[in-house]
Amino acid sequence: MSITPIAATGSINPLSGLSSTKAAESASKAGGVDFLSGLNDAAEVTKVADQLGQQLATGDLTDLHEFTAAAAKASIGIELTVAVRNQALSAYQEIMRMQV
Amino acid sequence: MSLFQALHTATSGASVARVWIDAIADNVANMNTTRDPGEEPFRARQVVAESVTDRGGVGRGVRVQRIADKPGDPIIVFDPTNPQADEFGIVRRAQVDLGEEMTNLLLANRVYGMNITVIQTAVDSYRAALRIGA
């Protein structure tokens, strides 16, 4: 018994007037990617601060302020990431509350 | 240019000030250093700074270009009891101007502190930006 292969369906005509939704979708996707790279950057600066802290503890660090500056940078980087996350989350929640 | 460029720039300034303080410490520590006859006498050292710039942008800070010897002749002292005196009893002592070194130390201290203040203020500014919409 042969199974009839699934025939390709004809192309679905796009609904007119949805282009703005599409644009919004791609924008939010791009926002997500940016947010992820922001997270990676925050992780990177934290790693640098950790390394400097270790060097400070072992006495290999010649410039004391480099550690404190890196720690400040890591702290502000994380704060920035969290702020972006909060803003994005509140934006999504705003969309979820939308009446359909 | 990175997002937190002011932090990098001010850190480089503080690093140069730190090297400056190190050089002053060495100069003052060697104030009484004498050398055997025929050897080059100790010379005070000074830090030569150099700005780091991108073409067409604001600078990216400062770095130590080199450590130069301060000009000036060594102080010649007649001290025949010194084990490092030559056959005429002459000792050549280091040329370290204590007044100058102390003034430079005050200056280096202030430069270091000011760069730290710039870091602090930059962080405060960034934090102010994060408060937008919060």
Side-chain angles (χ1 to χ4, degrees):
Chain A
M1 163 191 166
S2 68
I3 299 167
T4 46
I6 300 165
T9 54
S11 66
I12 299 165
N13 289 333
L15 292 170
S16 60
L18 278 184
S19 55
S20 57
T21 322
K22 219 175 193 175
E25 192 191 21
S26 68
S28 78
K29 256 185 197 160
V33 170
D34 282 352
F35 179 62
L36 275 183
S37 77
L39 267 182
N40 284 337
D41 286 353
E44 202 59 45
V45 287
T46 316
K47 211 184 283 174
V48 171
D50 279 349
Q51 280 171 358
L52 286 172
Q54 201 169 11
Q55 284 180 21
L56 182 70
T58 52
D60 289 336
L61 192 67
T62 49
D63 282 326
L64 194 62
H65 57 270
E66 263 187 25
F67 166 66
T68 43
K73 197 178 155 190
S75 150
I76 197 89
I78 288 168
E79 272 177 51
L80 172 65
T81 312
V82 170
V84 170
R85 170 218 175 258
N86 288 344
Q87 295 280 351
L89 206 62
S90 72
Y92 285 135
Q93 276 169 351
E94 207 61 52
I95 291 168
M96 292 299 281
R97 273 199 290 274
M98 204 191 299
Q99 291 285 335
V100 187
Chain B
M1 282 292 143
S2 73
L3 182 55
F4 299 125
Q5 184 57 47
L7 292 186
H8 294 286
T9 308
T11 306
S12 73
S15 293
V16 169
R18 204 265 308 162
V19 176
W20 194 7
I21 294 174
D22 285 357
I24 293 166
D26 186 55
N27 291 344
V28 173
N30 279 296
M31 204 179 72
N32 286 320
T33 300
T34 52
R35 295 256 167 88
D36 282 329
E39 272 183 44
E40 198 46 33
F42 177 84
R43 282 183 193 283
R45 277 183 275 260
Q46 59 185 353
V47 178
V48 181
E50 172 188 49
S51 67
V52 183
T53 40
D54 281 336
R55 222 168 349 154
V58 295
R60 282 193 292 114
V62 65
R63 64 166 166 248
V64 176
Q65 195 226 7
R66 66 198 162 93
I67 311 286
D69 285 342
K70 275 189 186 165
D73 296 324
I75 303 166
I76 293 171
V77 183
F78 179 69
D79 184 8
T81 57
N82 192 310
Q84 287 181 311
D86 62 9
E87 66 263 36
F88 306 110
I90 301 276
V91 180
R92 298 200 299 163
R93 265 183 43 205
Q95 165 71 288
V96 178
D97 186 344
L98 256 192
E100 192 189 333
E101 296 297 336
M102 285 299 122
T103 316
N104 282 342
L105 186 59
L106 280 176
L107 208 54
N109 183 20
R110 294 289 185 214
V111 169
Y112 190 89
M114 276 189 277
N115 279 290
I116 301 297
T117 307
V118 169
I119 294 176
Q120 202 65 50
T121 312
V123 169
D124 285 349
S125 306
Y126 299 145
R127 207 158 263 149
L130 288 182
R131 283 199 295 273
I132 297 175

